[in-house]
Amino acid sequence: MAIGDLPIFAALKNRMQWHQTRQTLLAENVANAETPGYRGRDLAPFSIESTARRSGATVTTTATNRNHYSVGGDPSRAMGARTMNSFEVMPEGNGVTLEEEMMKVTTNQMDYQAATTLYTRSMRLMKIALGKNV
């Protein structure tokens, strides 16, 4: 078993992937902040339990009828993306508040940095414990 396959490292990898996917959604929200009728999207909060239940397998379908739904290919769907309930809706129907989105982006970046720092330091400690030069 490789060091990176330990459950703690798998959980940290999932957490970093969640932050990357959330960053993509938040960037879409910022990019569409003035698009009429656009509703922002965000991920459900990260939890170890939901991550453990979710498998790494993906399902891809081919739409043979325009009424079919797509169930694969979009990582934000696999992470539980959902439309946000916005209390502030602009006259053109846009539900994205740029200031809120920028705060979420900043918080997400700081949390991602914390997860990567923890991953890096934990990996270094494991290597030291195993007697491998860092």
Side-chain angles (χ1 to χ4, degrees), residues 9-25 43 46 51 54-58 74-76 78-79 108 111-112 115-116 119:
F9 293 113
L12 285 169
K13 285 179 192 176
N14 287 333
R15 178 72 182 215
M16 290 185 290
Q17 184 179 16
W18 182 88
H19 282 296
Q20 289 172 340
T21 304
R22 185 170 192 227
Q23 190 71 15
T24 301
L25 289 177
L43 295 181
F46 181 82
T51 304
R54 190 177 62 237
S55 72
T58 59
D74 185 2
S76 64
M79 292 286 181
N108 191 59
D111 291 345
Y112 179 80
T116 57
Y119 183 89

Side-chain angles (χ1 to χ4, degrees), residues 7 27 32 35 69 82 86 97 124 129:
N32 290 296
T35 302
Y69 292 100
R82 59 185 182 194
S86 181
T97 306
R124 191 176 316 138

Side-chain angles (χ1 to χ4, degrees), residues 15-93:
R15 178 72 182 215
M16 290 185 290
Q17 184 179 16
W18 182 88
H19 282 296
Q20 289 172 340
T21 304
R22 185 170 192 227
Q23 190 71 15
T24 301
L25 289 177
L26 295 175
E28 288 175 8
N29 291 347
V30 169
N32 290 296
E34 295 184 10
T35 302
Y38 181 80
R39 298 289 181 170
R41 298 186 311 155
D42 201 352
L43 295 181
F46 181 82
S47 73
I48 296 294
E49 294 81 22
S50 67
T51 304
R53 278 185 254 125
R54 190 177 62 237
S55 72
T58 59
V59 176
T60 308
T61 61
T62 302
T64 56
N65 184 315
R66 64 185 182 98
N67 294 326
H68 290 172
Y69 292 100
S70 174
V71 293
D74 185 2
S76 64
R77 286 183 187 225
M79 292 286 181
R82 59 185 182 194
T83 303
M84 298 182 319
N85 293 328
S86 181
F87 296 107
E88 187 176 335
V89 177
M90 305 300 169
E92 62 272 357

Side-chain angles (χ1 to χ4, degrees), residues 8-9 12 113-123:
I8 184 69
F9 293 113
L12 285 169
Q113 261 184 337
T116 57
T117 300
L118 183 59
Y119 183 89
T120 303
R121 289 183 180 172
S122 297
M123 188 66 77

